[in-house]
Amino acid sequence: MSSHFKPGDLTMDTLGRLSQDALYYHEGRTEPIPQELSQYAHQMSVPAGIRKTGPWVVCLSGLISTQAVTSQFYLDRQGSLSIFHEKLGLIVTGANSKRQPELATFSESVQGQIFHMPISSRLQMGEEYDRLSLAFNTFFGDLKVSRPSPEQVAFRVVITGKGRPAEEAQLTLQLCLKAGETLETGAGKKIAVGTERVTLGPEDLGGWIRHHGWTLRVDPTARLIWPVYPHNPYANAPETSLEYAVSALSVPLRQKAQPGKHIRSNEQEISFVLQAH
């Protein structure tokens, strides 16, 4: 292998890689990587996991980490769900950000302060569905992803209220829209995705959106905003290119205090169905 490199071009990093190859190489047959299999699943020792089922790849993350407000490179662990399709690409991104609670999977406003990172979490992965449970100050959120079929993946969020409700709370999905293509809604709207700001309320969405070969059926109270530019750690500022923009699809959490009940089970259920066509 070393014969493919010129002595003058060898760096310490390259030499280290060659040494690793020499140390770990052994004769034997090759096996396909997990991404080439029709289905696979892996759950980490921390609350994060990945599952591929046919053309769908779903990632769930309940990683807990404190904020590092003085570091522009240490992002807030606020994204919990990613959905990828082998032909359509990344549809829902669970990318983290910084100083952008509006892109967090969950956020709550308590006593005038916004919290957008979970306090604790638990991940359970099984044959019928995968379940990510996240705890916040005023609610528990259970994200349940059913086993996908070749055509669609269904997932739902069950909210259990806790104590005094937040002044405001919401669930948000980061959608990957393609500039230059059309966004269609169940209310009959057709919008060219570009630099112009788009704000669509429940009456504009009409229960579903269609874009780039997929359709997402959403909660009747959902709202959509485009574009939102995520944090760029190298610039320590939001991205400026439309290539990196996402759309924020949010659903308000309906919390209501009940005298004598600190825990309010199944206070709200939010369902989604993502179809490829």
Side-chain angles (χ1 to χ4, degrees):
M1 184 179 292
S2 60
S3 63
H4 294 282
F5 297 90
K6 296 180 180 179
D9 295 335
L10 287 175
T11 64
M12 291 301 296
D13 183 65
T14 304
L15 287 172
R17 296 292 185 184
L18 289 172
S19 299
Q20 285 183 323
D21 292 339
L23 178 63
Y24 295 112
Y25 174 80
H26 61 274
E27 294 287 348
R29 66 179 185 180
T30 59
E31 294 288 346
I33 60 176
Q35 290 83 349
E36 294 176 343
L37 301 175
S38 61
Q39 57 183 0
Y40 74 89
H42 177 71
Q43 182 171 355
M44 301 175 66
S45 57
V46 292
I50 183 172
R51 181 182 300 278
K52 179 181 181 184
T53 310
W56 300 99
V57 180
V58 179
C59 297
L60 294 171
S61 174
L63 297 180
I64 306 296
S65 182
T66 55
Q67 289 179 289
V69 295
T70 59
S71 173
Q72 66 196 65
F73 298 100
Y74 197 99
L75 303 183
D76 296 344
R77 294 194 181 276
Q78 61 184 45
S80 300
L81 173 67
S82 294
I83 303 178
F84 174 89
H85 187 274
E86 64 180 10
K87 292 183 179 179
L88 305 178
L90 188 61
I91 300 173
V92 179
T93 174
N96 296 312
S97 192
K98 195 173 188 70
R99 298 187 290 272
Q100 289 185 307
E102 67 273 18
L103 291 181
T105 303
F106 290 103
S107 62
E108 58 181 348
S109 178
V110 181
Q111 298 181 4
Q113 185 175 349
I114 297 177
F115 298 90
H116 61 287
M117 297 168 63
I119 300 170
S120 62
S121 64
R122 183 187 183 192
L123 175 63
Q124 299 168 282
M125 299 183 69
E127 289 301 317
E128 294 186 7
Y129 63 85
D130 297 328
R131 175 183 179 183
L132 177 64
S133 303
L134 302 168
F136 287 80
N137 294 287
T138 63
F139 65 89
F140 301 98
D142 269 332
L143 175 55
K144 299 181 179 180
V145 183
S146 300
R147 186 178 181 85
S149 70
E151 297 80 22
Q152 69 178 39
V153 54
F155 55 101
R156 60 192 176 100
V157 176
V158 178
I159 301 297
T160 293
K162 180 178 68 170
R164 179 181 297 177
E167 290 100 50
E168 187 177 353
Q170 68 179 21
L171 160 72
T172 299
L173 300 181
Q174 298 181 80
L175 303 181
C176 299
L177 304 187
K178 306 297 182 182
E181 297 191 21
T182 300
L183 176 69
E184 184 180 353
T185 77
K189 290 186 175 294
K190 293 186 178 181
I191 300 164
V193 176
T195 57
E196 185 176 348
R197 183 174 176 83
V198 176
T199 302
L200 301 176
E203 66 283 356
D204 301 311
L205 296 181
W208 58 264
I209 57 175
R210 181 174 295 142
H211 177 74
H212 192 61
W214 53 262
T215 298
L216 178 63
R217 300 194 177 278
V218 302
D219 188 86
T221 64
R223 297 177 176 274
L224 182 144
I225 295 175
W226 163 270
V228 182
Y229 294 94
H231 175 75
N232 180 336
Y234 298 97
N236 196 21
E239 294 281 3
T240 56
S241 172
L242 203 62
E243 176 185 1
Y244 303 109
V246 296
S247 174
L249 179 82
S250 60
V251 176
L253 303 188
R254 301 189 302 270
Q255 297 177 281
K256 186 176 181 180
Q258 297 182 25
K261 295 190 69 174
H262 182 73
I263 301 297
R264 305 180 300 278
S265 299
N266 301 325
E267 191 170 37
Q268 182 180 1
E269 183 171 321
I270 305 168
S271 298
F272 300 90
V273 178
L274 179 58
Q275 299 171 311
H277 48 82

